[in-house]
Amino acid sequence: MSKQVVIIGAGPAGLTGAYELNKLGLRSTVLEADDVVGGISRTVNYRGYRFDIGGHRFFSKVPLINELWREILGEDFLDRPRMSRIFYNGKFFDYPLKAANALKNLGPIESMLVGLSYARAKVFPSRDEENFEQWVSNRFGHRLYSIFFKTYTEKVWGIPCTEISADWAAQRIKNLSLTEAVRNALFGSGKSRDGQVITTLIDSFHYPRFGPGQMWERCEKLVNESGNQCVRGVQADRIRHRNGRVEYVVGRSTNGEQIEFAGDHFISSMPIRELIHAFDPPPPDEVLRAADGLRYRDYLTVVLIVNREQMFPDNWIYIHSPEVMMGRIQNYKSWSPDMVPDPRKSSLGLEYFLWDKDDQWTWSDDRLIELGIQECERIKIIGRSEVEDGTVVRMRKAYPIYDQHYQENLAVVRRWLDTIVNIQCVGRNGQHRYNNQDHSMLTAVFAARNIVGERHDVWSVNVEKEYHEEAKVATPAAGERLVPARIIRPEPAAPVPSPDELIEAAFARLDPIALGTAVGTLTGLGLFMATAILLLQHGPRVGENLSLLSHYLLGYKASSWSGAFIGLVEAGIGGFILGYVIAWLHNIGLGRYVSMIRRRAVREEEKEILEKV
Amino acid sequence: MTSRTDPLYEVSHAVARMKAGVLAIIFAVICGGGLFLATVWLLIKGGPRVGEHLNLLSHFFIGYSVSWGGSVVGLFWGALAGAVIGWTLGLIYNSVAGLRTR
Ligand SMILES: Cc1cc2nc3c(=O)[nH]c(=O)nc-3n(C[C@H](O)[C@H](O)[C@H](O)COP(=O)(O)OP(=O)(O)OC[C@H]3O[C@@H](n4cnc5c(N)ncnc54)[C@H](O)[C@@H]3O)c2cc1C
């Protein structure tokens, strides 16, 4: 009998899990607490105006995920230009920051102050780099930090930058792979590990014609059509386990009815904190406490329908102005023109990052819409009279929080979960990891494949760069629909060296001892043979010229056999030193070159730090 | 010489190997061509006691002299000596590097 799999959550992770399982020939049931699918990547439809929770770019370095997206959505998967700027002091600044544009917008005096503060940071950097403020100020100067980093970061995380650890910022940059940087420097940044062309974060991204929800509704449809089941409106309430195995999940429907879902394997994309609390019997207190220590940042969007054909060309703008609470404005028409039903209108999503305990969280929709309009007026983005309508969407647990204790807490939780053999945690909140859709999906693909006997570490995704490589699997051509087909493994390819193999060879070190030995042997033997030939010829003034080498080789004479042996030894030693030094210089040169590439890549990454906030 | 914290290690763990055949060709071209050009240059320049010192190579390269005919002989001998040097260099380097990374 075929294995039955129960999946909790119909967000990108849960649905991808079901889709992949179906390909592997396994049946699954997906339980979704909400009455829509897509989770945080859903699209809300308000009177024909569509909008996301934030804006969801479809961008992945994992070829498998790109293929999956195309396979699911086919032609409705658009390639969209990306533009996003920073709004500060009534002006739009290019993002990533460009010197000329920033200077122009800041004006000569402020630019000079920024320059001085940058110079100061370079000459007298803050010795302690304990918090985010110090970390950014040391790199960009304190003045630039206060304009472009402080307000936005504090809006998103609700904590003063002086209380955010510097490690957190460094972590975002540190993940950078040096091999990848070298690959980009040599082969261009548009190539992924397998040589596939990938678009850079800067220029463009993919987006479904009707928003990300379209992807997940389509995926749900394919899952259902192939004989699996995605049940909306059923919340996994209890997870019954015995002898280290989950036996069934107790779901509660919207009308309060309790239903049991038995299975051989379970995949959970529900927040890991809630998952732990759902276990019956409950885990030890220590595990419950650790789970309670995992925190989330909540998020709210005020959507305004504006009676204007074009707002601005940006997909979104970062609002750095400290006088307003909103952190970003999404311009959904720029994401896809089909997000707006009437081409004469636009819709804006004002993003507020909150805790669900904040006052504003409980404000009425009308009050929040009023707040949005007032803030837009204050920064002169739109006028009140232009706003035709509005709505509010609240999303709890939008961001898993990486605080000082989350790693320890997660470790405790994971250790206990390891004792339950047939449940795997996937996705963003499912793993309490800052995963994007692609990472979330990949964890689910791995989980599905583990069920058929493959061995993948679902927790390695978005941690190690290597997961890109693992995920390289050829799949049917784009547009092919969901059929219970096995994964097609690539034919053993002709031995064309991959970029990585080329890099490995090109950056191979010379062995100084080996080169020293080779050059030393040749010079020593060479001089010995030359001397010997002259001696054997017995001519007059034998080796007169060669003997001049005695200026450098102590005791060398071209007129005697003892001289020949002295030449052998001394020229051998000299040659060894020469070879050794050549190899050493070669290696140092290569190392310097690699360091230079790393520094350049780090600088590029640092320019995009806002995106990583 | 390169420590494991060296950035080079992050990019490549390999120790370079030399292609002895390719080295032989490169050295042959450089040595043969070099001796040929050096000889021809002295002949074109002319003057008294043309190539007095270069002529000493005739002790090692039979038939070589600083003359038009000798330049061709020099091309041959230079190339041969270069090929032997290049090939031996590659061979010794690869053997030692191989022993050390085993
Ligand atoms: C503001 C913002 C912007 C973002 N931008 C991007 C972007 O540009 N590109 C990108 O790729 N990613 C982006 N992301 C991340 C992306 O939204 C997530 O990676 C993705 O949605 C995670 O998928 P998931 O399935 O793991 O989790 P979720 O999307 O959270 O889905 C989990 C699902 O499980 C359901 N569920 C929870 N508990 C239960 C239960 N007990 N029983 C049954 N069902 C349950 C939920 O209702 C939900 O539908 C963004 C996120 C945010 C917050």
Side-chain angles (χ1 to χ4, degrees):
Chain A
M1 216 183 71
S2 143
K3 293 173 188 167
Q4 174 67 34
V5 185
V6 178
I7 299 175
I8 305 172
L15 285 170
T16 305
Y19 187 83
E20 182 70 14
L21 280 167
N22 188 62
K23 281 186 172 181
L24 297 167
L26 293 188
R27 293 271 152 263
S28 62
T29 304
V30 186
L31 309 179
E32 171 51 55
D34 231 317
D35 55 0
V36 287
V37 295
I40 309 174
S41 307
R42 73 185 57 184
T43 296
V44 182
N45 187 334
Y46 176 73
R47 297 188 179 156
Y49 289 87
R50 293 182 157 83
F51 50 90
D52 323 2
I53 310 301
H56 277 70
R57 278 182 294 163
F58 284 65
F59 170 85
S60 184
K61 291 179 179 172
V62 186
L64 167 74
I65 298 298
N66 287 313
E67 284 171 26
L68 266 179
W69 282 333
R70 290 222 160 277
E71 196 178 297
I72 294 171
L73 213 56
E75 299 209 326
D76 278 339
F77 201 42
L78 310 179
D79 193 0
R80 300 293 301 159
R82 175 224 156 136
M83 182 171 176
S84 54
R85 286 176 297 170
I86 294 172
F87 188 78
Y88 173 76
N89 222 1
K91 297 206 173 76
F92 286 100
F93 290 77
D94 288 342
Y95 177 74
L97 291 173
K98 294 200 187 85
N101 168 273
L103 292 180
K104 189 176 126 231
N105 281 338
L106 288 172
I109 295 178
E110 185 63 38
S111 297
M112 200 180 70
L113 293 174
V114 163
L116 286 175
S117 121
Y118 177 79
R120 182 167 174 236
K122 291 289 137 188
V123 183
F124 306 109
S126 170
R127 280 238 201 93
D128 305 317
E129 236 187 41
E130 279 172 9
N131 59 46
F132 185 73
E133 177 170 311
Q134 290 161 337
W135 192 92
V136 180
S137 301
N138 273 355
R139 276 149 193 86
F140 298 97
H142 191 268
R143 210 154 178 110
L144 217 51
Y145 151 79
S146 12
I147 299 173
F148 292 114
F149 297 95
K150 180 176 161 36
T151 359
Y152 181 70
T153 311
E154 291 183 350
K155 280 180 190 179
V156 173
W157 292 105
I159 326 172
C161 286
T162 45
E163 287 175 30
I164 297 175
S165 112
D167 291 346
W168 179 81
Q171 200 71 36
R172 261 118 247 279
I173 304 294
K174 198 183 74 186
N175 243 351
L176 183 124
S177 136
L178 188 51
T179 317
E180 193 143 326
V182 171
R183 193 183 312 124
N184 289 345
L186 297 182
F187 301 102
S189 59
K191 292 268 171 71
S192 72
R193 209 173 248 263
D194 60 350
Q196 263 211 339
V197 175
I198 52 168
T199 29
T200 66
L201 267 181
I202 314 277
D203 307 323
S204 68
F205 56 83
H206 291 294
Y207 192 70
R209 183 179 299 283
F210 294 107
Q214 186 188 8
M215 175 74 75
W216 303 115
E217 281 158 24
R218 175 109 189 96
C219 187
E220 181 201 26
K221 186 163 174 270
L222 294 172
V223 165
N224 283 336
E225 279 173 4
S226 54
N228 301 285
Q229 222 191 341
C230 178
V231 201
R232 298 185 183 196
V234 172
Q235 176 168 331
D237 245 5
R238 248 183 332 126
I239 296 171
R240 192 63 215 161
H241 66 107
R242 202 167 51 158
N243 299 334
R245 291 187 74 82
V246 174
E247 294 184 326
Y248 56 88
V249 170
V250 182
R252 187 166 39 85
S253 68
T254 31
N255 57 17
E257 192 192 344
Q258 301 227 335
I259 317 158
E260 282 178 14
F261 295 88
D264 304 291
H265 291 272
F266 297 80
I267 296 177
S268 164
S269 70
M270 67 189 279
I272 198 164
R273 183 174 79 187
E274 272 60 44
L275 174 76
I276 289 294
H277 279 280
F279 274 102
D280 174 17
D285 281 351
E286 172 214 15
V287 179
L288 291 172
R289 264 199 310 278
D292 285 336
L294 297 173
R295 298 187 306 138
Y296 307 86
R297 181 93 166 133
D298 308 300
Y299 167 100
L300 173 159
T301 257
V302 174
V303 176
L304 301 179
I305 317 287
V306 184
N307 195 358
R308 208 196 282 184
E309 197 172 329
Q310 273 312 330
M311 292 299 311
F312 32 78
D314 310 60
N315 311 101
W316 70 89
I317 45 183
Y318 295 100
I319 306 296
H320 284 229
S321 317
E323 65 272 23
V324 293
M325 257 180 75
M326 67 172 118
R328 262 184 327 206
I329 301 184
Q330 298 290 339
N331 178 17
Y332 295 111
K333 207 173 172 181
S334 280
W335 286 80
S336 161
D338 291 301
M339 299 292 276
V340 175
D342 182 344
R344 291 164 307 169
K345 315 257 162 85
S346 301
S347 68
L348 297 182
L350 321 180
E351 302 183 71
Y352 293 89
F353 306 92
L354 298 166
W355 306 108
D356 61 4
K357 294 179 187 63
D358 285 338
D359 275 355
Q360 290 86 348
W361 188 262
T362 53
W363 284 8
S364 70
D365 286 4
D366 285 345
R367 195 167 167 200
L368 284 166
I369 292 168
E370 179 56 29
L371 171 77
I373 296 174
Q374 277 175 12
E375 294 204 329
C376 283
E377 280 197 311
R378 198 168 307 146
I379 57 172
K380 300 192 177 63
I381 291 272
I382 45 168
R384 173 177 296 273
S385 58
E386 290 180 285
V387 180
E388 281 199 349
D389 198 354
T391 186
V392 175
V393 176
R394 294 172 182 79
M395 176 57 71
R396 279 204 166 86
K397 302 193 176 66
Y399 294 92
I401 298 250
Y402 284 6
D403 59 19
Q404 318 292 1
H405 305 292
Y406 94 93
Q407 277 179 322
E408 290 157 45
N409 289 330
L410 200 55
V412 173
V413 166
R414 279 180 60 184
R415 257 199 307 279
W416 185 79
L417 278 170
D418 282 346
T419 63
I420 316 280
V421 292
N422 62 342
I423 187 161
Q424 300 180 76
C425 292
V426 296
R428 183 172 168 107
N429 291 334
Q431 294 196 330
H432 200 84
R433 189 165 287 164
Y434 212 55
N435 284 339
N436 271 338
Q437 288 176 99
D438 61 335
H439 307 126
S440 306
M441 292 168 68
L442 194 57
T443 58
V445 169
F446 282 178
R449 293 181 181 180
N450 285 343
I451 292 174
V452 295
E454 290 186 23
R455 293 174 64 141
H456 301 279
D457 179 3
V458 293
W459 294 92
S460 69
V461 174
N462 199 10
V463 177
E464 299 160 8
K465 291 280 161 188
E466 280 59 38
Y467 75 87
H468 295 315
E469 182 72 348
E470 280 190 57
K472 254 183 2 193
V473 176
T475 51
E480 239 175 86
R481 293 291 169 258
L482 182 73
V483 277
R486 292 218 140 254
I487 318 153
I488 303 165
R489 307 226 163 262
E491 289 287 307
V496 179
S498 70
D500 281 4
E501 283 165 338
L502 289 175
I503 289 171
E504 179 87 4
F507 288 87
R509 277 157 296 117
L510 280 176
D511 182 339
I513 301 275
L515 194 63
T517 310
V519 177
T521 310
L522 277 168
T523 47
L525 278 181
L527 184 59
F528 178 81
M529 278 162 61
T531 315
I533 288 172
L534 295 180
L535 285 169
L536 293 174
Q537 285 174 353
H538 288 306
R541 294 156 64 202
V542 105
E544 195 178 344
N545 285 287
L546 206 57
S547 284
L548 293 173
L549 277 176
S550 63
H551 287 298
Y552 309 102
L553 305 176
L554 288 181
Y556 171 72
K557 265 192 289 193
S559 53
S560 71
W561 284 102
S562 62
F565 283 103
I566 291 174
L568 171 76
V569 174
E570 292 191 11
I573 293 173
F576 179 87
I577 294 171
L578 181 72
Y580 191 97
V581 170
I582 289 175
W584 180 69
L585 288 176
H586 167 272
N587 295 344
I588 290 212
L590 267 189
R592 288 279 144 83
Y593 178 59
V594 169
S595 302
M596 188 193 77
I597 292 177
R598 190 218 296 268
R599 275 199 301 279
R600 209 184 288 157
V602 167
R603 271 203 303 275
E604 286 303 310
E605 284 272 302
E606 283 174 353
K607 276 197 219 155
E608 297 216 29
I609 185 80
L610 268 192
E611 216 122 306
K612 298 167 202 294
V613 165
Chain B
M1 289 297 292
T2 27
S3 75
R4 269 158 212 282
T5 52
D6 190 308
L8 201 52
Y9 257 107
E10 278 180 58
V11 177
S12 172
H13 294 270
V15 171
R17 290 299 146 91
M18 293 182 178
K19 290 207 163 41
V22 176
L23 270 189
I25 294 172
I26 294 171
F27 274 70
V29 170
I30 293 174
C31 297
L35 185 53
F36 176 79
L37 289 176
T39 313
V40 168
W41 177 247
L42 292 180
L43 291 171
I44 293 172
K45 243 176 55 169
R49 294 156 64 194
V50 163
E52 191 187 2
H53 287 97
L54 209 56
N55 250 329
L56 293 171
L57 280 179
S58 61
H59 287 296
F60 311 106
F61 299 157
I62 297 162
Y64 174 74
S65 64
V66 180
S67 64
W68 291 104
S71 69
V72 179
V73 176
L75 174 72
F76 166 76
W77 277 115
L80 187 69
V84 172
I85 292 172
W87 188 79
T88 317
L89 186 77
L91 193 78
I92 299 176
Y93 173 86
N94 287 344
S95 312
V96 178
L99 279 176
R100 282 166 41 76
T101 47
R102 229 186 5 210

